[in-house]
Amino acid sequence: MMSVGSQVSMPQYLASQQQCTRAALSVPVCRQASRKVFRQQRCQRQVRRSAVHRQILCAANTAEQGKLISKVEIPAFIPRSDMSEQLFRWATAIGQDEGQANFGLPMRVVPNERGDGSPNGFTLDIVRDGVTVTTLAILFDDEISQKHEWVGRGADGFPTLEGKVSQILGKHLMIRKICEGVVDEEIRTAIRGFCEALVSALNKYYAFGSCFTDDTT
């Protein structure tokens, strides 16, 4: 999950990799190396997804006061503003509009912005009997990632990061409990359910560029 997490590919990146792969496969001596690289990358992504998923669920089960539930490094090529906007709309639909049905408690979702006005995730209030009992913040941190212009092919046939390097604000996407309220089993169940759904939305975004689609649409 963030498992959140796991670091997989956006369509533009995938397209670049596919172009590089086709070029590599046109050279017989590189064919086996290229195929091996992509098998290894696919396996690594699956392992990272599984590991982060377990980490988030474990943290969500405890949800201590002021607790950083989890954070996951987001690949630099993924546009932070677009991901933030999509996650906010997704959370509004699944949490604010249908929180009681989906997670057992009503929820309220508020967009978060950086100082320059750019979107940066959202906060999630979990409500019971009309009172906010827990608040989570889902947002990017202030660390920097380096983004390269393109993925090339080295002399050995393996992918290499090339071109101009850009500095991207927001290295990790975090889930943090930002209130001091006591978490009982009902609240913990709602947090865990929301985190599971969030991971699924992130994986859809990684694979398809949208939190609202999957391989059946």
Side-chain angles (χ1 to χ4, degrees), residues 42-55:
R42 188 183 307 114
C43 180
Q44 289 169 354
R45 287 195 296 267
Q46 292 171 345
V47 169
R48 284 195 293 266
R49 285 181 181 177
S50 177
V52 179
H53 186 180
R54 289 194 299 270
Q55 177 187 358

Side-chain angles (χ1 to χ4, degrees), residues 98-116:
E98 299 291 340
Q100 180 77 57
N102 291 329
F103 310 115
L105 287 172
M107 297 179 174
R108 180 170 51 247
V109 180
V110 180
N112 185 62
E113 294 183 347
R114 293 192 180 277
D116 61 0

Side-chain angles (χ1 to χ4, degrees), residues 88-104:
F88 167 68
R89 290 190 290 112
W90 167 85
T92 299
I94 196 173
Q96 182 163 294
D97 296 346
E98 299 291 340
Q100 180 77 57
N102 291 329
F103 310 115

Side-chain angles (χ1 to χ4, degrees), residues 21-199:
T21 306
R22 286 194 291 270
L25 293 177
S26 66
V27 182
V29 70
C30 297
R31 183 176 291 115
Q32 282 188 328
S34 297
R35 288 176 177 171
K36 182 178 180 181
V37 168
F38 287 104
R39 283 197 300 270
Q40 290 174 338
Q41 290 177 337
R42 188 183 307 114
C43 180
Q44 289 169 354
R45 287 195 296 267
Q46 292 171 345
V47 169
R48 284 195 293 266
R49 285 181 181 177
S50 177
V52 179
H53 186 180
R54 289 194 299 270
Q55 177 187 358
I56 289 180
L57 285 184
C58 180
N61 281 331
T62 57
E64 299 171 6
Q65 296 180 11
K67 176 77 173 182
L68 173 65
I69 294 178
S70 189
K71 69 177 182 179
V72 60
E73 183 173 349
I74 303 297
F77 57 81
I78 290 182
R80 271 50 179 167
S81 292
D82 181 69
M83 174 177 272
S84 290
E85 290 175 345
Q86 287 207 35
L87 286 177
F88 167 68
R89 290 190 290 112
W90 167 85
T92 299
I94 196 173
Q96 182 163 294
D97 296 346
E98 299 291 340
Q100 180 77 57
N102 291 329
F103 310 115
L105 287 172
M107 297 179 174
R108 180 170 51 247
V109 180
V110 180
N112 185 62
E113 294 183 347
R114 293 192 180 277
D116 61 0
S118 61
N120 182 29
F122 59 91
T123 58
L124 176 80
D125 293 332
I126 298 178
V127 180
R128 182 166 57 195
D129 299 328
V131 178
T132 298
V133 291
T134 295
T135 300
L136 303 180
I138 293 85
L139 71 168
F140 286 96
D141 61 18
D142 294 325
E143 294 187 46
I144 300 296
S145 286
Q146 291 190 334
K147 175 185 176 183
H148 293 77
E149 273 188 298
W150 64 79
V151 179
R153 180 170 61 88
D156 57 2
F158 286 79
T160 58
L161 298 176
E162 301 177 357
K164 182 180 178 180
V165 178
S166 302
Q167 304 297 313
I168 305 299
L169 177 61
K171 186 173 184 179
H172 302 92
L173 183 67
M174 305 182 297
I175 305 176
R176 183 183 293 275
K177 181 176 177 289
I178 59 173
C179 70
E180 297 181 355
V182 177
V183 175
D184 59 26
E185 187 58 34
E186 184 180 33
I187 299 171
R188 186 174 294 111
T189 297
I191 293 174
R192 183 170 58 246
F194 181 83
C195 287
E196 289 177 340
L198 176 60
V199 170

